[in-house]
Amino acid sequence: MRWSRHCHAPWYLGGVSFAESSFFPIPPDVMLAPMSLANPSKAWRFALITTLASVAGGLFGYAIGYFAFDSFEPWLRASKYWDSYLAAVSWFERWGFWAVFIAGFSPIPYKVFTIAAGALSMALLPFTLASLIGRGARFFLVAGLMAWGGARMEAALHRTIDRLGWATVALVVVGAIVYHWAGMS
């Protein structure tokens, strides 16, 4: 919260956004929301900074997975993210682009998907597009809600953000299942 009011806050926001997409555990929403709330006229600028830095961090996570997964794997196995990584691998095998999109928008740890995408050599263009769309949708939504709704929206968002994210995941999964079944007919 203190960083969000600092004169260099946009730089901090970019740094946190970049780091969170590849290795840092704190999501950039914790800076984006109060910054957008405090300065609604710059909310879209803050969302753009967050999105671009997050996608750049996602590309760094992709590079970690692509070039250094063998070195990184023992640490990942010992971390709390190993089960998430295995789930990400399974999702990539089934959904590809949509797995990255969902991870980018939802409360699922995006960093796990960026590293998994690189480790599995997912095509870079679909990875980047899914990241831009998923992360952009999330961050522009947060910034827009804060700019529009003010402090009341911030309190409501804190109470419901995880449920909204998981509801989005559920809708996409149901849609994918319906699409799959329709294709089998």
Side-chain angles (χ1 to χ4, degrees):
M1 289 293 284
R2 195 171 345 119
W3 284 6
S4 71
R5 291 182 184 88
H6 194 275
C7 64
H8 299 297
W11 288 99
Y12 297 149
L13 178 62
V16 167
S17 300
F18 179 89
E20 184 270 338
S21 294
S22 50
F23 60 87
F24 193 61
I26 299 173
D29 308 64
V30 299
M31 283 190 70
L32 175 61
M35 288 174 68
S36 298
L37 185 63
N39 199 341
S41 65
K42 293 186 178 179
W44 300 126
R45 179 174 168 252
F46 297 148
L48 181 62
I49 290 168
T50 307
T51 300
L52 295 178
S54 180
V55 172
L59 290 168
F60 180 67
Y62 183 101
I64 289 170
Y66 189 83
F67 294 110
F69 186 74
D70 292 339
S71 314
F72 187 76
E73 184 179 7
W75 175 86
L76 186 61
R77 281 182 183 271
S79 78
K80 67 178 183 177
Y81 294 113
W82 182 248
D83 289 338
S84 296
Y85 172 76
L86 293 176
V89 168
S90 173
W91 281 37
F92 275 113
E93 290 170 353
R94 285 194 81 162
W95 313 110
F97 173 95
W98 294 107
V100 176
F101 169 78
I102 291 169
F105 186 78
S106 72
I108 296 170
Y110 175 65
K111 70 186 90 354
V112 172
F113 281 77
T114 67
I115 293 167
L120 297 170
S121 300
M122 180 180 181
L124 195 56
L125 182 60
F127 170 80
T128 305
L129 288 175
S131 295
L132 273 169
I133 295 167
R135 297 308 262 181
R138 174 181 173 161
F139 298 136
F140 277 88
L141 178 64
V142 168
L145 288 173
M146 293 301 100
W148 172 71
R152 286 179 57 198
M153 183 59 72
E154 181 183 29
L157 189 62
H158 282 296
R159 285 191 312 271
T160 61
I161 191 69
D162 281 344
R163 285 183 285 205
L164 288 172
W166 287 115
T168 302
V169 171
L171 286 173
V172 170
V173 168
V174 167
I177 290 168
V178 168
Y179 176 79
H180 177 72
W181 283 346
M184 292 177 56
S185 301

